[in-house]
């Protein structure tokens, strides 16, 4: 074989090798794949709904519960209030929005809108998260979102459950301005609050991989991803406690709810490091129930309905 022929063969092999490297299916830096899409997530069999569940959650009313809040922020505890609003709704899985009409594709969800309001010195904080979770408890939350408003600016995050979890976030912080990526599915801390209300026997326990709440990740500027945790459940005197411990985050979340249906959330505690630099210290955010009201609040938007806020001590 002539040296020139050998050189031609080597060049051809190198070209083939480079072509193969360019056409592989490894993850791109933006989190997407270059060819084969991820497999469609198949929901588990639907958990049947009890007559008790139907009578409580399909009565044309929402459940509104107010809480006295002590929120850790910037190394101090702040007095405020929290409200959990639970209501069932039809949900369009493709459009990822509440359905206005009957549709065979509709998925019945238990929606939780959770709000917090407190002051940090002269300026106020307003936090709201929303989670849409299937009442049949057979797949992850279909959507969860978070918005935070305060005088420094406002931020928004959203996670959509499609072939993968699709995460979008916007912030006024440098390095966090606009994020948009996909990730493998995992347990969501945001969905735990609705799983409790549907069937606490299905809560995950033991060593788990879980994505912390959007609120915690945003306020502590932590990476959006699953973290290792230990989940435990225990009951005493009619109250069940569900605890999630995150060793790497030095954070513990404890949710207390009634052992019997409708598994009402009576209080919660969240222990984590608050503040930055020399002001950082481990503090405990806590909330305790004030009042629960079952009502169709969306019809009560006249001035005469303001008295209902008094009954919630808001």
């Amino acid at each position: 074989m002539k040296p020139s022929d050998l050189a031609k063969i080597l060049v051809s092999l190198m070209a083939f090798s480079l072509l193969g490297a360019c056409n592989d299916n490894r993850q791109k830096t933006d989190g997407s794949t270059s060819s084969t899409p991820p497999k469609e997530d198949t929901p588990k069999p639907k958990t049947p709904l009890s007559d008790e569940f139907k009578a409580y959650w399909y009565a044309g009313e929402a459940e509104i519960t107010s809480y006295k809040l002590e929120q850790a922020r910037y190394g101090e505890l702040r007095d405020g209030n929290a409200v959990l609003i639970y209501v069932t709704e039809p949900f369009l899985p493709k459009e990822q929005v509440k359905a206005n009409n009957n549709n065979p594709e509709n998925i019945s969800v238990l929606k939780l809108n959770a709000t917090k309001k407190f002051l940090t010195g002269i300026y106020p904080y307003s936090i709201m998260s929303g989670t849409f979770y299937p009442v049949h408890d057979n797949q992850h939350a279909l959507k969860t979102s978070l918005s935070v408003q305060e005088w420094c600016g406002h931020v928004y995050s959203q996670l959509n459950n499609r072939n993968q979890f699709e995460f979008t976030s916007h912030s006024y912080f440098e390095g966090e301005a606009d994020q948009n990526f996909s990730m493998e599915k995992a347990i969501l801390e945001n969905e735990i609050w609705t799983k409790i209300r549907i069937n606490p026997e299905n809560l995950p326990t033991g060593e788990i991989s879980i994505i912390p709440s959007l609120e915690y990740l945003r306020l502590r500027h932590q990476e959006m991803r699953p973290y290792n945790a230990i989940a435990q459940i225990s009951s005493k005197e009619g109250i069940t406690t569900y605890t999630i411990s995150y060793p790497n985050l030095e954070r513990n979340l404890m949710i207390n709810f009634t052992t019997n249906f409708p598994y009402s959330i009576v209080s919660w505690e969240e222990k984590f490091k608050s503040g930055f630099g020399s002001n950082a210290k481990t503090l405990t955010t806590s909330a305790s129930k004030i009042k629960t009201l079952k009502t169709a609040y969306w019809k009560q938007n006249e001035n005469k309905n303001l008295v209902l806020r008094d009954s919630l001590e808001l």
Side-chain angles (χ1 to χ4, degrees):
M1 181 180 293
K2 297 179 181 179
S4 59
D5 293 334
L6 179 60
K8 290 179 181 179
I9 293 173
L10 290 174
V11 169
S12 298
L13 288 173
M14 289 175 64
F16 180 80
S17 176
L18 288 173
L19 180 63
C22 292
N23 286 325
D24 70 3
N25 192 35
R26 286 177 291 183
Q27 201 81 359
K28 292 182 179 179
T29 55
D30 64 358
S32 62
T33 54
S34 56
S35 59
T36 306
K39 294 181 180 179
E40 183 74 26
D41 184 47
T42 303
K44 300 175 184 176
K46 293 181 177 180
T47 301
L49 303 180
S50 67
D51 291 339
E52 190 177 34
F53 182 95
K54 295 175 184 177
Y56 188 85
W57 289 113
Y58 291 100
E61 298 175 328
E63 181 201 81
I64 308 166
T65 306
S66 55
Y67 299 83
K68 175 180 171 54
L69 175 69
E70 280 192 323
Q71 177 70 41
R73 189 66 176 144
Y74 303 130
E76 295 184 288
L77 291 176
R78 322 294 181 142
D79 290 333
N81 62 64
V83 183
L84 301 184
I85 306 103
Y86 286 95
V87 64
T88 51
E89 289 181 348
F91 189 83
L92 284 170
K94 182 178 179 180
E95 292 82 356
Q96 297 268 290
V97 293
K98 175 185 175 182
N100 290 330
N101 303 297
N102 291 328
N103 188 309
E105 295 182 357
N106 288 353
I107 295 177
S108 184
V109 299
L110 179 61
K111 181 179 74 174
L112 167 61
N113 281 337
T115 68
K116 288 182 176 180
K117 292 184 180 295
F118 55 92
L119 300 176
T120 49
I122 190 175
Y123 62 96
Y125 255 83
S126 179
I127 301 174
M128 180 173 176
S129 63
T131 300
F132 299 80
Y133 189 77
V135 296
H136 291 290
D137 197 21
N138 62 332
Q139 57 181 307
H140 291 298
L142 302 177
K143 180 180 179 179
T144 186
S145 60
L146 169 79
S147 60
V148 181
Q149 301 85 36
E150 38 95 6
W151 285 3
C152 295
H154 61 148
V155 298
Y156 181 79
S157 300
Q158 180 171 301
L159 185 147
N160 294 84
N161 183 351
R162 294 193 171 97
N163 284 356
Q164 290 184 297
F165 280 163
E166 298 177 2
F167 180 70
T168 302
S169 181
H170 304 284
S171 170
Y172 63 90
F173 282 101
E174 182 180 359
E176 298 178 351
D178 300 289
Q179 300 179 57
N180 192 345
F181 59 87
S182 297
M183 58 191 297
E184 293 300 320
K185 297 182 183 181
I187 300 167
L188 295 164
E189 183 182 308
N190 285 85
E191 70 191 11
I192 292 297
W193 298 77
T194 41
K195 283 181 70 70
I196 286 173
R197 304 305 310 274
I198 295 172
N199 187 0
E201 292 183 1
N202 283 348
L203 289 168
T205 57
E207 296 183 1
I208 61 174
S209 180
I210 181 171
I211 299 174
S213 71
L214 299 187
E215 176 188 324
Y216 172 80
L217 294 174
R218 171 54 59 193
L219 296 185
R220 292 298 302 162
H221 304 281
Q222 297 290 328
E223 181 184 357
M224 174 66 181
R225 64 174 178 83
Y227 291 79
N228 293 329
I230 300 173
Q232 299 175 312
I233 191 167
S234 61
S235 297
K236 183 178 180 181
E237 297 178 354
I239 299 297
T240 297
T241 300
Y242 185 70
T243 304
I244 307 174
S245 300
Y246 297 86
N248 295 336
L249 296 176
E250 299 180 283
R251 173 175 177 255
N252 293 323
L253 174 65
M254 183 171 65
I255 307 171
N256 301 309
F257 57 94
T258 57
T259 302
N260 296 324
F261 185 86
Y263 316 119
S264 304
I265 294 174
V266 296
S267 64
W268 68 85
E269 292 184 358
E270 182 188 4
K271 187 176 182 180
F272 60 96
K273 188 168 289 186
S274 176
F276 302 95
S278 59
N279 292 325
K281 61 183 72 173
T282 299
L283 296 174
T284 301
T285 291
S286 62
S288 55
K289 178 181 171 179
I290 299 172
K291 179 77 174 180
T292 293
L293 188 65
K294 280 272 270 126
T295 186
Y297 69 85
W298 51 92
K299 298 178 181 179
Q300 298 162 337
N301 51 21
E302 299 178 10
N303 285 334
K304 66 180 181 180
N305 302 130
L306 286 170
V307 66
L308 296 173
R309 291 184 63 83
D310 295 336
S311 65
L312 291 167
E313 297 186 29
L314 297 174

